[in-house]
Amino acid sequence: MKAKYFILSYLFLFVLFSSGWAQAHFSLDTTTYAKGYTNGLVFGDFNNDGYQDFYISNGHNEAPSNVNHLFFNNGDGTFSEQLSAGTLVTDDFVSGSSTVGDYDNDGYLDIFVAEVYREKPPFGSDYATTYSLYKNNGDGTFSSVSAGDLTTSTTETGGGAAWADYDNDGYLDLAISTARITFIGIILADSNALYRNNQDGTFDKVFNTLTSVKSHQGDLSWADYDNDGDMDVVFVAGRPSQKTVLWTNTGTDFDSLTILTDQDAQGASWADYDNDGDLDLFITCNGINNDNQYPEQNFLFRNDGTGFTQILSGELVTDTLFSYTSAWGDYDNDGDLDVYVGNSGGSSAPQTSYLYVNDGQGNFIKDTLTVISGDSTTYDRTAAWADIDNDGDLDLVLGRDGRNHLFRNLLNNGNHFITIQLRGVNANRSGIGAKVRVKATINGQSVTQLREISGQTGFGSQNSLRAHFGLGDATMADSIIVEWPGTSTVDKLAAVPADQFLTITEGQASSIGDERSASPRQFSLQQNYPNPFGKNRSLRGSPTTVIRYRLPQFSKVQLTVYNTLGQKVRTLVNERQTAGKYSITFDATGLASGVYYYRLEEGNKSLIRKMLYLK
């Protein structure tokens, strides 16, 4: 009886696959969107026309050419390759991943490419390379620009790269995972790299705890995982002998608090998959486990607010496949994040990639009927979601070893959505690092979803910077809250109708106090950062610094700056504020160089710290 049932089930599945129903949820676009060895795939609206474009960075030392490719969205569901976009598409070098962000806050998205090397080194000897920063000219072209330390010749080779405003000054900084080939192809460890934006188009290389560690890395990804208002970062081990490390931003440096795994991990992606208000972490692995018999399993770490719990059950973490990339997105608009995992056993042993569907209870079911990719000659390395046709659901582009694939979402199940584009004012213009929370009643249950705008969302990949929320049967969002990075601004909208594309500009929605879920337990004042600060390039090149403090309760607050004579020179805050975590930018323009003191007062309590301003 069991044998008969098994045979009938097998025949049923065979009929489904052979009839084409297997790809009913997605349609493969047969257009060739470049081909090669794709290391980077990023989405962005590069010409500000309201449609999502994408950029592909290629790189392999055996390839005859490694030029990269830019595709503009025509607005009708098709794309046109931009062959006259400038050096962005004519530079020929082995590229690592790329990352999109408005580094100069001029309203146009720029592109950084982590360059591996420009020419194959003789005899595997050491070689020099430069990183490439391409400024968006606003007319459909990009120019390679000189950007201080960032574009100075170096022996580092870039693997992964991601934008984030780690120092909360309103400008995007850049982290790069690095490795270096030195002799006969032997890979030796090199240091992580961090570049601070000087706000004048240049970047200084930062030397701190984070960058002092030498390790061959895969990719990296930023996230404010502890909800304290600053960006933390995970660097992923690129080889079995290395460590995947989560670095926590202290405001002045980074602490290596968590070593997640020492297996051959490749990519990291953050997502609040259980809708509990904090970001969880998924890591893809592409190596052999300790007994050298099977591919390694992937890792899912659930953020419990006070630490991480490794999830050990379910197909997402028990499947043994050679995984490179992952991409989170609510493809069916039901209010729960699903995840696509791109697998790559190599051309000699290709593997099918899978979409894992979130059941709403924190479990993932492998959708074996929605076979998105996997053929006999190519495999997936990068993947990113975006609503390319503005129809309210997420489509998927895959960067592969071979012809890249674009899959259009055809589900059309009647579920509702809201898509949100951010425009920073005091925060960085592209909104990277902002948290967007949407609350809605879905199937009779109140659900609050979280998205954080990210400069890297999987190995070599970056989803659209637009935050997409599925709303299921909800016809409106009860509330939308945007927490802007590096500022105390929190924007809120209420009773927002579903099925629309919103643009929220910082400070132009109804502003509320800090409503983050975890209120500080004590009154505290942090050291300003940077310190010292001033116009000297080595000291940030700006007369501004950020002062951060925490309030345990609703109270009247004063934040005042004094000179060494005890004279008041600035009042930065003088108002009632709710419990929460705040950051204030102090601009010392017009003041003399020297020592200053800043004092925070709440009721009968006060705290004082010292800072140094150098013109």
Side-chain angles (χ1 to χ4, degrees):
M1 194 65 183
K2 290 184 178 179
K4 180 179 180 181
Y5 177 78
F6 174 80
I7 293 172
L8 290 175
S9 298
Y10 178 83
L11 289 175
F12 175 67
L13 291 176
F14 176 78
V15 171
L16 286 176
F17 275 95
S18 61
S19 66
W21 192 88
Q23 294 196 15
H25 292 177
F26 293 87
S27 171
L28 172 62
D29 187 330
T30 58
T31 305
T32 297
Y33 294 104
K35 58 184 179 179
Y37 195 83
T38 300
N39 285 322
L41 169 62
V42 294
F43 273 105
D45 182 4
F46 299 115
N47 55 2
N48 289 348
D49 66 350
Y51 288 89
Q52 295 297 294
D53 315 303
F54 65 94
Y55 178 72
I56 292 170
S57 56
N58 286 318
H60 196 287
N61 61 346
E62 303 296 336
S65 173
N66 285 297
V67 295
N68 300 325
H69 304 272
L70 176 66
F71 294 91
F72 275 3
N73 194 322
N74 297 321
D76 59 0
T78 64
F79 291 82
S80 297
E81 184 167 5
Q82 304 300 296
L83 300 176
S84 301
T87 53
L88 178 71
V89 296
T90 58
D91 281 348
D92 189 349
F93 54 80
V94 178
S95 300
S97 66
S98 48
T99 181
V100 170
D102 185 358
Y103 82 93
D104 52 1
N105 288 342
D106 67 350
Y108 291 94
L109 291 175
D110 311 295
I111 299 176
F112 173 81
V113 179
E115 184 174 327
V116 180
Y117 51 80
R118 286 190 181 265
E119 59 183 22
K120 188 176 180 181
F123 311 112
S125 59
D126 203 359
Y127 49 84
T129 184
T130 57
Y131 298 136
S132 296
L133 177 60
Y134 298 98
K135 176 180 170 56
N136 190 332
N137 298 318
D139 59 1
T141 67
F142 291 75
S143 297
S144 180
V145 296
S146 176
D149 292 347
L150 180 61
T151 53
T152 302
S153 181
T154 173
T155 56
E156 296 167 357
T157 62
W163 294 108
D165 181 10
Y166 85 93
D167 54 0
N168 283 333
D169 66 351
Y171 283 78
L172 291 174
D173 312 297
L174 190 69
I176 304 172
S177 62
T178 59
R180 183 169 60 191
I181 300 175
T182 58
F183 184 68
I184 316 179
I186 298 175
I187 301 177
L188 298 182
D190 207 345
S191 300
N192 303 327
L194 179 62
Y195 293 88
R196 181 188 295 131
N197 192 328
N198 293 322
Q199 305 180 20
D200 60 0
T202 67
F203 292 77
D204 281 341
K205 191 170 184 178
V206 177
F207 297 94
N208 58 13
T209 305
L210 174 69
T211 61
S212 66
V213 174
K214 292 183 177 294
S215 177
H216 176 71
Q217 300 290 342
D219 211 354
L220 74 151
S221 186
W222 292 93
D224 179 15
Y225 81 90
D226 50 6
N227 285 332
D228 68 349
D230 50 32
M231 299 298 288
D232 314 295
V233 63
V234 59
F235 278 83
V236 181
R239 296 176 68 83
S241 59
Q242 305 300 317
K243 304 290 186 182
T244 292
V245 180
L246 175 58
W247 294 88
T248 300
N249 191 335
T250 66
T252 57
D253 205 341
F254 290 83
D255 282 341
S256 171
L257 297 182
T258 308
I259 297 177
L260 299 172
T261 173
D262 59 358
Q263 293 184 316
D264 188 2
Q266 291 297 326
S269 53
W270 295 91
D272 183 13
Y273 78 87
D274 50 2
N275 288 338
D276 68 347
D278 49 34
L279 294 168
D280 313 295
L281 178 61
F282 182 61
I283 296 175
T284 51
C285 293
N286 190 261
I288 303 297
N289 64 10
N290 292 333
D291 59 12
N292 291 321
Q293 292 182 0
Y294 303 102
E296 295 171 339
Q297 297 170 341
N298 297 322
F299 293 87
L300 178 62
F301 295 95
R302 185 185 67 224
N303 189 339
D304 297 322
T306 57
F308 289 88
T309 298
Q310 184 178 349
I311 304 302
L312 299 175
S313 62
E315 294 175 303
L316 182 61
V317 295
T318 58
D319 282 348
T320 51
L321 297 165
F322 293 100
S323 300
Y324 253 94
T325 193
S326 58
W328 292 91
D330 185 2
Y331 92 98
D332 51 4
N333 283 343
D334 66 351
D336 299 299
L337 282 169
D338 313 295
V339 61
Y340 176 83
V341 179
N343 299 315
S344 60
S347 58
S348 61
Q351 293 181 334
T352 299
S353 298
Y354 290 105
L355 175 66
Y356 293 83
V357 180
N358 190 332
D359 69 356
Q361 304 299 316
N363 304 309
F364 293 89
I365 310 300
K366 183 167 58 181
D367 187 353
T368 57
L369 298 182
T370 306
V371 180
I372 296 181
S373 81
D375 57 46
S376 60
T377 58
T378 62
Y379 56 88
D380 296 343
R381 292 180 59 81
T382 60
W385 295 98
D387 184 358
I388 63 172
D389 43 13
N390 285 354
D391 65 349
D393 52 35
L394 291 173
D395 310 292
L396 184 67
V397 174
L398 307 177
R400 322 184 74 213
D401 178 18
R403 186 169 68 90
N404 300 311
H405 285 171
L406 187 159
F407 285 88
R408 302 177 189 277
N409 192 331
L410 303 177
L411 189 56
N412 192 25
N413 59 5
N415 285 343
H416 300 283
F417 75 96
I418 279 182
T419 297
I420 299 171
Q421 178 76 56
L422 299 182
R423 293 284 183 266
V425 178
N426 295 315
N428 69 86
R429 182 65 179 267
S430 41
I432 290 176
K435 282 185 165 66
V436 186
R437 304 180 193 270
V438 171
K439 181 179 179 181
T441 302
I442 302 175
N443 296 325
Q445 301 292 320
S446 179
V447 177
T448 299
Q449 302 176 60
L450 166 66
R451 305 285 187 270
E452 185 175 272
I453 311 303
S454 177
Q456 195 82 165
T457 55
F459 178 85
S461 311
Q462 187 175 3
N463 289 344
S464 166
L465 293 176
R466 301 193 303 192
H468 178 90
F469 294 85
L471 298 182
D473 62 351
T475 58
M476 73 162 46
D478 300 326
S479 66
I480 298 175
I481 296 176
V482 181
E483 301 165 6
W484 295 91
T487 75
S488 59
T489 304
V490 180
D491 286 320
K492 181 177 181 180
L493 297 88
V496 181
D499 302 328
Q500 62 172 313
F501 296 83
L502 299 179
T503 296
I504 298 178
T505 300
E506 181 184 1
Q508 293 188 10
S510 57
S511 185
I512 62 175
D514 193 325
E515 290 192 357
R516 297 177 186 180
S517 58
S519 296
R521 296 181 178 179
Q522 61 182 4
F523 175 63
S524 65
L525 177 64
Q526 297 183 24
Q527 183 64 52
N528 65 299
Y529 186 77
N531 188 47
F533 67 104
K535 294 182 179 179
N536 186 300
R537 181 167 176 254
S538 65
L539 299 172
R540 292 292 296 113
S542 170
T544 63
T545 188
V546 176
I547 300 171
R548 306 170 75 180
Y549 60 92
R550 304 183 180 195
L551 303 177
Q553 60 190 7
F554 181 83
S555 56
K556 175 67 180 296
V557 179
Q558 285 187 324
L559 179 60
T560 313
V561 179
Y562 298 85
N563 61 22
T564 54
L565 299 178
Q567 299 169 327
K568 183 189 298 186
V569 298
R570 295 281 168 81
T571 297
L572 303 181
V573 178
N574 185 19
E575 62 185 19
R576 292 184 179 274
Q577 293 182 330
T578 58
K581 305 171 186 179
Y582 294 85
S583 62
I584 301 296
T585 299
F586 170 52
D587 189 340
T589 299
L591 298 179
S593 295
V595 174
Y596 292 86
Y597 296 89
Y598 55 100
R599 179 180 182 182
L600 180 67
E601 299 173 85
E602 180 211 28
N604 60 358
K605 296 178 292 185
S606 67
L607 296 169
I608 297 177
R609 286 187 179 271
K610 180 172 66 175
M611 58 185 169
L612 177 60
Y613 173 50
L614 297 176
K615 283 190 174 181

